[in-house]
Protein backbone atom coordinates (compact mmCIF):
# COMPACT_ATOMS: atom_id res chain seq x y z
CA UNK A 1 0.00 0.00 0.00
CA UNK A 2 1.31 3.38 -1.03
CA UNK A 3 1.06 6.61 0.98
CA UNK A 4 1.23 9.70 -1.17
CA UNK A 5 2.66 12.30 1.26
CA UNK A 6 5.08 15.03 0.18
CA UNK A 7 7.08 15.76 3.37
CA UNK A 8 9.01 18.53 1.70
CA UNK A 9 6.00 20.64 0.96
CA UNK A 10 6.30 23.97 2.69
CA UNK A 11 2.93 25.48 1.70
CA UNK A 12 0.81 23.26 3.90
CA UNK A 13 -1.00 25.03 6.63
CA UNK A 14 -0.75 24.20 10.30
CA UNK A 15 -3.99 22.26 10.43
CA UNK A 16 -3.08 19.96 7.57
CA UNK A 17 0.30 19.21 9.18
CA UNK A 18 -1.39 18.19 12.41
CA UNK A 19 -3.77 15.97 10.45
CA UNK A 20 -0.90 14.20 8.66
CA UNK A 21 0.97 13.78 11.94
CA UNK A 22 -1.99 11.91 13.36
CA UNK A 23 -2.62 9.90 10.22
CA UNK A 24 0.93 8.63 9.64
CA UNK A 25 1.11 6.31 12.69
CA UNK A 26 -2.25 4.84 11.78
CA UNK A 27 -1.29 4.40 8.16
CA UNK A 28 1.87 2.58 9.18
CA UNK A 29 -0.34 0.09 11.00
CA UNK A 30 -2.50 -0.35 7.93
CA UNK A 31 0.45 -1.67 5.94
CA UNK A 32 1.07 -4.57 8.30
CA UNK A 33 -0.35 -7.70 6.60
CA UNK A 34 -2.85 -5.46 4.82
CA UNK A 35 -5.11 -5.75 7.84
CA UNK A 36 -6.74 -2.33 7.81
CA UNK A 37 -10.32 -3.20 8.70
CA UNK A 38 -9.55 -3.15 12.39
CA UNK A 39 -8.22 0.41 12.30
CA UNK A 40 -10.73 2.17 10.06
CA UNK A 41 -12.38 3.64 13.14
CA UNK A 42 -9.07 5.18 14.18
CA UNK A 43 -8.59 6.46 10.66
CA UNK A 44 -11.99 8.16 10.68
CA UNK A 45 -11.26 9.71 14.06
CA UNK A 46 -7.94 11.05 12.80
CA UNK A 47 -9.64 12.33 9.66
CA UNK A 48 -12.11 14.35 11.73
CA UNK A 49 -9.77 15.45 14.52
CA UNK A 50 -9.25 18.92 13.08
CA UNK A 51 -12.52 19.11 11.15
CA UNK A 52 -14.90 22.02 11.81
CA UNK A 53 -18.47 21.18 10.87
CA UNK A 54 -19.68 24.73 11.51
CA UNK A 55 -18.32 26.20 8.27
CA UNK A 56 -18.87 25.32 4.63
CA UNK A 57 -16.26 23.24 2.78
CA UNK A 58 -15.09 26.16 0.60
CA UNK A 59 -15.33 28.84 3.24
CA UNK A 60 -11.62 29.76 3.07
CA UNK A 61 -11.69 29.91 -0.74
CA UNK A 62 -14.73 32.19 -0.67
CA UNK A 63 -16.54 30.16 -3.34
CA UNK A 64 -19.98 28.52 -3.02
CA UNK A 65 -20.36 24.80 -2.40
CA UNK A 66 -22.33 23.12 -5.16
CA UNK A 67 -24.82 20.56 -3.86
CA UNK A 68 -26.46 18.15 -6.32
CA UNK A 69 -29.93 17.01 -5.28
CA UNK A 70 -31.98 14.04 -6.48
CA UNK A 71 -35.29 12.56 -5.31
CA UNK A 72 -36.68 9.04 -5.34
CA UNK A 73 -40.43 9.13 -4.76
CA UNK A 74 -41.69 6.09 -2.89
CA UNK A 75 -45.32 7.13 -2.85
CA UNK A 76 -47.72 10.03 -2.98
CA UNK A 77 -50.33 9.11 -0.43
CA UNK A 78 -52.97 11.74 -1.01
CA UNK A 79 -53.81 14.88 -2.96
CA UNK A 80 -56.51 16.91 -1.23
CA UNK A 81 -58.60 19.53 -3.01
CA UNK A 82 -60.21 20.64 0.23
CA UNK A 83 -56.95 21.54 2.01
CA UNK A 84 -54.96 22.23 -1.17
CA UNK A 85 -51.97 20.02 -0.35
CA UNK A 86 -50.37 16.66 -1.12
CA UNK A 87 -48.52 14.08 0.98
CA UNK A 88 -45.49 12.19 -0.25
CA UNK A 89 -42.82 9.80 0.99
CA UNK A 90 -39.44 10.24 -0.66
CA UNK A 91 -35.70 9.68 -0.47
CA UNK A 92 -33.73 12.94 -0.64
CA UNK A 93 -30.14 12.54 -1.79
CA UNK A 94 -27.54 15.31 -1.64
CA UNK A 95 -24.03 15.15 -3.06
CA UNK A 96 -21.23 17.67 -2.55
CA UNK A 97 -17.47 17.74 -2.33
CA UNK A 98 -15.61 18.57 0.87
CA UNK A 99 -11.83 18.95 0.23
CA UNK A 100 -11.16 18.70 3.96
CA UNK A 101 -12.21 15.02 3.85
CA UNK A 102 -10.08 14.04 0.86
CA UNK A 103 -8.21 10.83 1.80
CA UNK A 104 -7.15 9.67 -1.66
CA UNK A 105 -3.91 7.66 -1.41
CA UNK A 106 -4.07 7.18 2.34
CA UNK A 107 -5.96 3.87 2.31
CA UNK A 108 -6.83 1.53 -0.50
CA UNK A 109 -10.59 1.96 -0.50
CA UNK A 110 -12.92 3.79 -2.87
CA UNK A 111 -15.42 5.00 -0.29
CA UNK A 112 -16.41 4.55 3.32
CA UNK A 113 -19.92 3.72 4.48
CA UNK A 114 -20.39 5.69 7.67
CA UNK A 115 -22.99 5.32 10.35
CA UNK A 116 -25.76 7.91 10.57
CA UNK A 117 -24.39 8.95 13.96
CA UNK A 118 -21.39 10.56 12.26
CA UNK A 119 -23.61 12.92 10.29
CA UNK A 120 -23.67 15.39 13.17
CA UNK A 121 -19.85 15.58 13.04
CA UNK A 122 -19.76 16.49 9.34
CA UNK A 123 -21.04 19.63 7.68
CA UNK A 124 -24.27 19.02 5.76
CA UNK A 125 -26.32 21.50 3.69
CA UNK A 126 -29.21 23.27 5.43
CA UNK A 127 -31.81 22.11 2.93
CA UNK A 128 -35.49 22.73 3.72
CA UNK A 129 -38.80 22.65 1.85
CA UNK A 130 -40.29 26.10 1.40
CA UNK A 131 -43.92 25.04 0.93
CA UNK A 132 -43.85 22.24 3.50
CA UNK A 133 -46.70 22.09 6.05
CA UNK A 134 -45.72 19.01 8.04
CA UNK A 135 -42.64 16.79 7.71
CA UNK A 136 -41.07 13.93 9.64
CA UNK A 137 -38.07 11.62 9.53
CA UNK A 138 -38.32 7.84 9.77
CA UNK A 139 -36.66 6.04 12.68
CA UNK A 140 -37.93 2.45 12.32
CA UNK A 141 -36.01 0.38 13.04
CA UNK A 142 -33.06 2.78 12.91
CA UNK A 143 -32.82 6.35 11.56
CA UNK A 144 -33.30 6.11 7.80
CA UNK A 145 -30.17 8.05 6.90
CA UNK A 146 -27.11 7.13 4.87
CA UNK A 147 -23.67 8.73 4.53
CA UNK A 148 -20.97 7.64 2.07
CA UNK A 149 -17.56 9.31 2.04
CA UNK A 150 -15.55 8.89 -1.16
CA UNK A 151 -11.76 9.07 -1.40
CA UNK A 152 -11.83 12.36 -3.33
CA UNK A 153 -13.83 14.07 -0.58
CA UNK A 154 -17.21 13.64 -2.26
CA UNK A 155 -20.05 13.01 0.20
CA UNK A 156 -23.36 11.30 -0.57
CA UNK A 157 -26.01 12.02 2.06
CA UNK A 158 -29.37 10.28 1.74
CA UNK A 159 -32.39 10.31 4.03
CA UNK A 160 -36.02 9.27 3.95
CA UNK A 161 -38.74 11.74 4.86
CA UNK A 162 -42.52 12.09 4.71
CA UNK A 163 -43.96 15.53 4.15
CA UNK A 164 -47.17 17.36 3.41
CA UNK A 165 -46.70 20.32 1.08
CA UNK A 166 -49.11 22.98 -0.10
CA UNK A 167 -50.45 22.72 -3.64
CA UNK A 168 -52.69 25.57 -4.86
CA UNK A 169 -55.15 24.11 -7.37
CA UNK A 170 -57.23 25.51 -10.20
CA UNK A 171 -60.61 23.73 -10.08
CA UNK A 172 -62.33 25.33 -13.07
CA UNK A 173 -62.42 22.00 -14.92
CA UNK A 174 -62.97 19.75 -11.91
CA UNK A 175 -63.23 16.73 -12.22
CA UNK A 176 -61.71 16.78 -15.73
CA UNK A 177 -58.82 18.88 -14.51
CA UNK A 178 -55.04 18.60 -14.55
CA UNK A 179 -53.05 19.86 -11.58
CA UNK A 180 -49.42 20.84 -11.08
CA UNK A 181 -48.06 20.46 -7.56
CA UNK A 182 -44.66 22.02 -6.87
CA UNK A 183 -42.02 21.21 -4.29
CA UNK A 184 -39.49 23.93 -3.45
CA UNK A 185 -36.08 23.06 -1.96
CA UNK A 186 -33.99 25.92 -0.66
CA UNK A 187 -31.12 26.85 1.64
CA UNK A 188 -32.32 28.45 4.84
CA UNK A 189 -29.25 30.32 6.13
CA UNK A 190 -26.69 30.40 3.30
CA UNK A 191 -27.03 32.67 0.30
CA UNK A 192 -25.73 31.79 -3.15
CA UNK A 193 -22.30 32.96 -1.94
CA UNK A 194 -22.17 29.92 0.35
CA UNK A 195 -24.37 27.19 -1.18
CA UNK A 196 -25.75 26.56 -4.65
CA UNK A 197 -28.32 23.80 -5.07
CA UNK A 198 -28.84 22.18 -8.44
CA UNK A 199 -30.49 19.05 -9.77
CA UNK A 200 -28.12 16.16 -10.29
CA UNK A 201 -29.09 15.51 -13.91
CA UNK A 202 -32.07 15.34 -16.21
CA UNK A 203 -33.32 12.21 -14.45
CA UNK A 204 -32.84 13.55 -10.94
CA UNK A 205 -36.41 12.58 -10.03
CA UNK A 206 -37.41 8.92 -10.10
CA UNK A 207 -40.38 7.01 -8.76
CA UNK A 208 -40.98 3.55 -7.43
CA UNK A 209 -42.32 0.79 -9.69
CA UNK A 210 -45.15 0.33 -7.19
CA UNK A 211 -46.12 3.98 -7.47
CA UNK A 212 -49.89 4.37 -7.76
CA UNK A 213 -52.48 7.03 -6.99
CA UNK A 214 -56.21 6.41 -6.39
CA UNK A 215 -57.64 9.48 -8.15
CA UNK A 216 -54.72 10.89 -10.17
CA UNK A 217 -52.17 9.78 -12.72
CA UNK A 218 -48.67 11.25 -12.71
CA UNK A 219 -48.09 12.28 -16.32
CA UNK A 220 -44.71 14.00 -15.94
CA UNK A 221 -42.42 16.22 -13.94
CA UNK A 222 -40.13 19.20 -14.50
CA UNK A 223 -37.04 20.29 -12.59
CA UNK A 224 -36.44 24.03 -12.47
CA UNK A 225 -34.51 26.71 -10.61
CA UNK A 226 -36.33 29.23 -8.44
CA UNK A 227 -33.71 31.45 -6.79
CA UNK A 228 -35.29 34.10 -4.61
CA UNK A 229 -34.06 37.37 -3.21
CA UNK A 230 -35.36 38.60 0.12
CA UNK A 231 -34.11 39.81 3.46
CA UNK A 232 -33.70 43.05 5.34
CA UNK A 233 -32.00 44.73 2.40
CA UNK A 234 -33.73 42.71 -0.31
CA UNK A 235 -30.38 41.83 -1.87
CA UNK A 236 -29.83 38.40 -0.31
CA UNK A 237 -30.27 35.70 -2.96
CA UNK A 238 -30.90 32.15 -1.75
CA UNK A 239 -30.38 29.10 -3.92
CA UNK A 240 -33.67 27.34 -4.68
CA UNK A 241 -34.65 24.44 -6.91
CA UNK A 242 -38.17 23.45 -7.87
CA UNK A 243 -39.90 20.18 -8.75
CA UNK A 244 -43.18 20.37 -10.67
CA UNK A 245 -45.33 17.24 -10.58
CA UNK A 246 -48.05 17.11 -13.26
CA UNK A 247 -51.17 15.12 -12.37
CA UNK A 248 -54.20 14.20 -14.45
CA UNK A 249 -57.35 13.25 -12.58
CA UNK A 250 -58.91 9.84 -13.23
CA UNK A 251 -62.53 10.45 -14.13
CA UNK A 252 -63.74 6.86 -13.67
CA UNK A 253 -64.83 7.38 -10.06
CA UNK A 254 -66.86 10.49 -10.95
CA UNK A 255 -68.50 8.77 -13.92
CA UNK A 256 -69.75 5.98 -11.65
CA UNK A 257 -70.74 8.13 -8.68
CA UNK A 258 -72.06 11.34 -10.27
CA UNK A 259 -72.35 11.56 -14.06
CA UNK A 260 -74.12 8.25 -14.82
CA UNK A 261 -76.57 8.51 -11.87
CA UNK A 262 -77.44 12.11 -12.76
CA UNK A 263 -78.15 11.08 -16.38
CA UNK A 264 -80.43 8.33 -15.14
CA UNK A 265 -82.29 10.78 -12.89
CA UNK A 266 -82.86 13.10 -15.84
CA UNK A 267 -84.14 10.21 -17.96
CA UNK A 268 -86.43 9.16 -15.13
CA UNK A 269 -87.99 12.63 -15.04
CA UNK A 270 -89.03 12.21 -18.70
CA UNK A 271 -91.24 9.21 -17.86
CA UNK A 272 -93.79 11.80 -16.78
CA UNK A 273 -94.34 12.74 -20.45
CA UNK A 274 -95.67 9.23 -21.21
CA UNK A 275 -98.13 9.13 -18.34
CA UNK A 276 -101.68 10.29 -18.89
CA UNK A 277 -102.58 13.79 -17.90
CA UNK A 278 -105.13 12.46 -15.44
CA UNK A 279 -102.42 10.60 -13.44
CA UNK A 280 -101.82 13.62 -11.27
CA UNK A 281 -100.44 11.87 -8.12
CA UNK A 282 -97.99 9.77 -10.15
CA UNK A 283 -96.62 12.69 -12.16
CA UNK A 284 -96.38 14.98 -9.13
CA UNK A 285 -94.57 12.33 -7.09
CA UNK A 286 -92.19 11.53 -9.93
CA UNK A 287 -91.32 15.19 -10.51
CA UNK A 288 -90.72 16.03 -6.86
CA UNK A 289 -88.70 12.83 -6.31
CA UNK A 290 -86.33 13.54 -9.22
CA UNK A 291 -85.81 17.15 -8.13
CA UNK A 292 -84.98 16.17 -4.55
CA UNK A 293 -82.69 13.34 -5.69
CA UNK A 294 -80.85 15.65 -8.06
CA UNK A 295 -80.42 18.23 -5.30
CA UNK A 296 -78.95 15.59 -2.98
CA UNK A 297 -76.66 14.35 -5.74
CA UNK A 298 -75.42 17.87 -6.38
CA UNK A 299 -74.66 18.43 -2.70
CA UNK A 300 -72.70 15.16 -2.49
CA UNK A 301 -70.64 16.08 -5.55
CA UNK A 302 -69.39 19.35 -4.08
CA UNK A 303 -69.21 18.44 -0.37
CA UNK A 304 -65.48 17.67 -0.40
CA UNK A 305 -64.47 20.77 -2.37
CA UNK A 306 -63.28 24.10 -1.00
CA UNK A 307 -65.64 27.06 -1.10
CA UNK A 308 -64.19 28.76 -4.15
CA UNK A 309 -65.84 31.79 -5.73
CA UNK A 310 -65.83 30.53 -9.32
CA UNK A 311 -67.98 27.98 -11.15
CA UNK A 312 -66.51 24.50 -11.60
CA UNK A 313 -67.26 21.99 -14.33
CA UNK A 314 -69.18 19.75 -11.95
CA UNK A 315 -71.30 22.74 -10.90
CA UNK A 316 -72.30 23.31 -14.52
CA UNK A 317 -73.23 19.65 -14.97
CA UNK A 318 -75.21 19.29 -11.77
CA UNK A 319 -76.91 22.64 -12.27
CA UNK A 320 -77.96 21.75 -15.82
CA UNK A 321 -79.33 18.35 -14.75
CA UNK A 322 -81.27 20.04 -11.96
CA UNK A 323 -82.72 22.49 -14.49
CA UNK A 324 -83.85 19.63 -16.75
CA UNK A 325 -85.65 17.71 -13.99
CA UNK A 326 -87.19 20.91 -12.64
CA UNK A 327 -88.35 21.85 -16.15
CA UNK A 328 -90.03 18.44 -16.44
CA UNK A 329 -91.90 19.16 -13.22
CA UNK A 330 -92.96 22.59 -14.49
CA UNK A 331 -94.08 21.02 -17.76
CA UNK A 332 -96.57 18.85 -15.92
CA UNK A 333 -97.79 21.84 -13.94
CA UNK A 334 -98.43 23.67 -17.21
CA UNK A 335 -100.28 20.81 -18.93
CA UNK A 336 -102.30 20.23 -15.80
CA UNK A 337 -103.44 23.86 -15.90
CA UNK A 338 -104.40 23.44 -19.56
CA UNK A 339 -106.39 20.31 -18.74
CA UNK A 340 -108.17 21.91 -15.81
CA UNK A 341 -109.05 24.93 -17.96
CA UNK A 342 -111.08 22.65 -20.24
CA UNK A 343 -112.87 21.18 -17.25
CA UNK A 344 -113.72 24.64 -15.92
CA UNK A 345 -115.23 25.60 -19.29
CA UNK A 346 -117.57 22.63 -19.23
CA UNK A 347 -118.51 23.36 -15.61
CA UNK A 348 -119.19 27.00 -16.41
CA UNK A 349 -121.42 26.00 -19.33
CA UNK A 350 -123.39 23.72 -17.05
CA UNK A 351 -123.78 26.48 -14.48
CA UNK A 352 -125.00 28.90 -17.10
CA UNK A 353 -127.37 26.32 -18.57
CA UNK A 354 -129.09 25.35 -15.37
CA UNK A 355 -132.24 27.04 -16.56
CA UNK A 356 -132.06 25.62 -20.08
CA UNK A 357 -133.58 22.40 -21.27
CA UNK A 358 -131.54 19.25 -21.48
CA UNK A 359 -131.18 19.30 -25.29
CA UNK A 360 -129.92 22.86 -25.17
CA UNK A 361 -127.39 22.01 -22.44
CA UNK A 362 -126.03 19.07 -24.43
CA UNK A 363 -125.72 21.31 -27.47
CA UNK A 364 -123.70 23.87 -25.52
CA UNK A 365 -121.33 21.16 -24.16
CA UNK A 366 -120.81 19.79 -27.69
CA UNK A 367 -119.95 23.24 -28.93
CA UNK A 368 -117.32 23.66 -26.19
CA UNK A 369 -115.78 20.25 -26.86
CA UNK A 370 -115.68 20.89 -30.65
CA UNK A 371 -113.64 24.06 -30.29
CA UNK A 372 -110.25 23.66 -32.09
CA UNK A 373 -107.19 23.03 -29.86
CA UNK A 374 -109.16 22.75 -26.66
CA UNK A 375 -107.31 22.60 -23.32
CA UNK A 376 -107.03 18.80 -23.28
CA UNK A 377 -105.68 18.68 -26.81
CA UNK A 378 -103.17 21.43 -26.05
CA UNK A 379 -101.94 19.62 -22.94
CA UNK A 380 -101.52 16.38 -24.89
CA UNK A 381 -99.67 18.20 -27.67
CA UNK A 382 -97.28 19.76 -25.14
CA UNK A 383 -96.53 16.29 -23.75
CA UNK A 384 -95.82 14.97 -27.25
CA UNK A 385 -93.52 17.89 -28.05
CA UNK A 386 -91.70 17.51 -24.71
CA UNK A 387 -90.90 13.87 -25.54
CA UNK A 388 -88.77 15.17 -28.40
CA UNK A 389 -87.55 18.56 -27.23
CA UNK A 390 -86.20 17.46 -23.84
CA UNK A 391 -84.01 14.58 -25.13
CA UNK A 392 -82.64 16.64 -28.01
CA UNK A 393 -81.82 19.56 -25.71
CA UNK A 394 -80.08 17.28 -23.20
CA UNK A 395 -78.03 15.57 -25.91
CA UNK A 396 -76.92 18.93 -27.29
CA UNK A 397 -75.94 20.05 -23.81
CA UNK A 398 -73.90 16.86 -23.23
CA UNK A 399 -72.05 17.30 -26.53
CA UNK A 400 -71.18 20.93 -25.85
CA UNK A 401 -70.23 20.20 -22.23
CA UNK A 402 -67.82 17.34 -22.94
CA UNK A 403 -66.28 19.03 -25.95
CA UNK A 404 -65.62 22.20 -23.96
CA UNK A 405 -64.23 20.63 -20.79
CA UNK A 406 -62.44 17.57 -22.18
CA UNK A 407 -61.06 18.60 -25.54
Amino acid sequence: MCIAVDVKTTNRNKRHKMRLTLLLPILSLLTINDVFCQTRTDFIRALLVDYDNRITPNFEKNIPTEVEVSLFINSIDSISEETMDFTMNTFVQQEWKDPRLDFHGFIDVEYLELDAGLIKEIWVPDLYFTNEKVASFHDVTVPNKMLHLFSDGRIVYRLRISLKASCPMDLYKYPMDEQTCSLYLQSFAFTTNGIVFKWKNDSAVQKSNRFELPQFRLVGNDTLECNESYGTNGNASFSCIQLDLHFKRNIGYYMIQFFVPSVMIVLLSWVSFWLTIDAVPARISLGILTVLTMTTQRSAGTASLPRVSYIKAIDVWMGACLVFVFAALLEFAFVNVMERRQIRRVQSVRLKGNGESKPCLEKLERNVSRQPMTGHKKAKTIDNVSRVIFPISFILFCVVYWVYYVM
Side-chain angles (χ1 to χ4, degrees):
M1 185 176 298
C2 178
I3 301 173
V5 179
D6 187 1
V7 297
K8 295 182 180 181
T9 302
T10 60
N11 294 329
R12 297 185 184 275
N13 55 38
K14 182 178 179 181
R15 292 183 176 179
H16 197 55
K17 284 182 179 181
M18 183 182 299
R19 185 179 172 194
L20 289 175
T21 303
L22 294 170
L23 283 174
L24 285 174
I26 297 174
L27 294 173
S28 64
L29 294 175
L30 298 179
T31 59
I32 301 175
N33 298 325
D34 292 333
V35 182
F36 58 90
C37 294
Q38 298 177 357
T39 58
R40 281 189 182 181
T41 302
D42 295 331
F43 176 78
I44 294 299
R45 290 174 180 173
L47 193 65
L48 299 176
V49 69
D50 198 37
Y51 184 86
D52 192 349
N53 61 357
R54 298 172 300 177
I55 60 176
T56 59
N58 299 316
F59 181 76
E60 298 294 341
K61 298 179 181 179
N62 196 26
I63 59 176
T65 300
E66 292 188 354
V67 181
E68 296 182 343
V69 180
S70 59
L71 297 179
F72 183 85
I73 302 175
N74 291 318
S75 63
I76 296 181
D77 302 321
S78 65
I79 302 176
S80 175
E81 300 86 7
E82 185 175 4
T83 56
M84 295 285 183
D85 55 31
F86 68 102
T87 304
M88 68 184 304
N89 180 281
T90 181
F91 287 110
V92 181
Q93 180 170 303
Q94 305 175 66
E95 297 184 23
W96 69 95
K97 193 170 183 180
D98 194 338
R100 298 171 296 178
L101 299 177
D102 186 351
F103 62 88
H104 180 71
F106 289 110
I107 58 175
D108 189 14
V109 63
E110 182 181 357
Y111 68 93
L112 297 173
E113 297 181 358
L114 304 181
D115 185 79
L118 287 174
I119 296 176
K120 60 184 179 181
E121 299 183 17
I122 296 176
W123 179 89
V124 294
D126 60 339
L127 179 70
Y128 82 106
F129 299 91
T130 307
N131 60 329
E132 165 259 327
K133 292 183 176 180
V134 180
S136 62
F137 295 103
H138 292 263
D139 298 324
V140 180
T141 58
V142 294
N144 296 174
K145 299 179 181 180
M146 180 201 76
L147 184 66
H148 286 178
L149 175 61
F150 287 79
S151 59
D152 59 350
R154 184 165 57 93
I155 300 175
V156 177
Y157 177 41
R158 191 178 189 185
L159 68 160
R160 179 185 173 208
I161 62 173
S162 292
L163 62 90
K164 179 186 291 185
S166 62
C167 177
M169 299 182 186
D170 183 359
L171 300 175
Y172 278 101
K173 292 188 176 182
Y174 176 89
M176 285 79 68
D177 56 333
E178 297 182 10
Q179 302 295 340
T180 298
C181 293
S182 300
L183 192 64
Y184 301 94
L185 297 81
Q186 187 175 344
S187 173
F188 187 82
F190 295 96
T191 64
T192 52
N193 296 327
I195 297 180
V196 174
F197 287 111
K198 64 180 182 179
W199 293 108
K200 185 176 181 180
N201 46 47
D202 295 336
S203 59
V205 179
Q206 301 179 4
K207 62 184 180 69
S208 173
N209 295 330
R210 300 184 298 271
F211 183 87
E212 187 176 354
L213 289 170
Q215 293 189 26
F216 287 88
R217 184 174 69 256
L218 182 61
V219 295
N221 62 82
D222 294 322
T223 52
L224 309 170
E225 292 185 359
C226 55
N227 293 351
E228 295 183 353
S229 297
Y230 57 86
T232 56
N233 297 326
N235 298 323
S237 177
F238 292 84
S239 180
C240 173
I241 53 179
Q242 173 182 345
L243 170 63
D244 288 342
L245 299 172
H246 304 290
F247 299 99
K248 185 177 180 60
R249 193 184 301 273
N250 297 324
I251 199 175
Y253 168 81
Y254 299 92
M255 292 294 295
I256 297 173
Q257 297 294 328
F258 299 108
F259 288 104
V260 173
S262 59
V263 170
M264 296 179 66
I265 294 172
V266 173
L267 296 179
L268 182 62
S269 68
W270 299 342
V271 175
S272 173
F273 304 148
W274 274 265
L275 298 178
T276 61
I277 302 175
D278 297 332
V280 176
R283 297 187 69 166
I284 286 289
S285 301
L286 185 61
I288 295 177
L289 178 64
T290 53
V291 170
L292 293 178
T293 306
M294 197 66 240
T295 303
T296 304
Q297 188 79 0
R298 181 178 180 274
S299 300
T302 58
S304 62
L305 297 178
R307 294 177 176 84
V308 294
S309 58
Y310 50 83
I311 299 176
K312 303 176 289 295
I314 195 171
D315 295 332
V316 175
W317 176 267
M318 292 297 181
C321 291
L322 182 60
V323 168
F324 273 100
V325 297
F326 188 72
L329 179 61
L330 292 181
E331 188 271 349
F332 168 68
F334 184 73
V335 298
N336 189 41
V337 170
M338 299 298 296
E339 173 69 13
R340 296 179 67 83
R341 181 179 298 177
Q342 177 70 16
I343 296 175
R344 285 196 300 270
R345 286 181 179 178
V346 174
Q347 292 177 347
S348 63
V349 169
R350 289 177 179 177
L351 291 174
K352 292 179 180 179
N354 285 334
E356 302 289 340
S357 62
K358 185 175 181 181
C360 294
L361 181 59
E362 292 178 351
K363 183 177 180 181
L364 291 174
E365 291 179 354
R366 285 196 300 270
N367 291 334
V368 172
S369 60
R370 289 175 182 176
Q371 291 180 3
M373 292 301 291
T374 59
H376 180 77
K377 292 182 179 180
K378 287 183 180 180
K380 191 174 183 179
T381 301
I382 293 174
D383 272 347
N384 293 334
V385 172
S386 299
R387 296 173 187 176
V388 179
I389 295 299
F390 273 74
I392 292 177
S393 301
F394 188 70
I395 291 173
L396 290 177
F397 163 74
C398 291
V399 171
V400 174
Y401 177 87
W402 290 104
V403 169
Y404 179 79
Y405 285 106
V406 177
M407 298 299 178

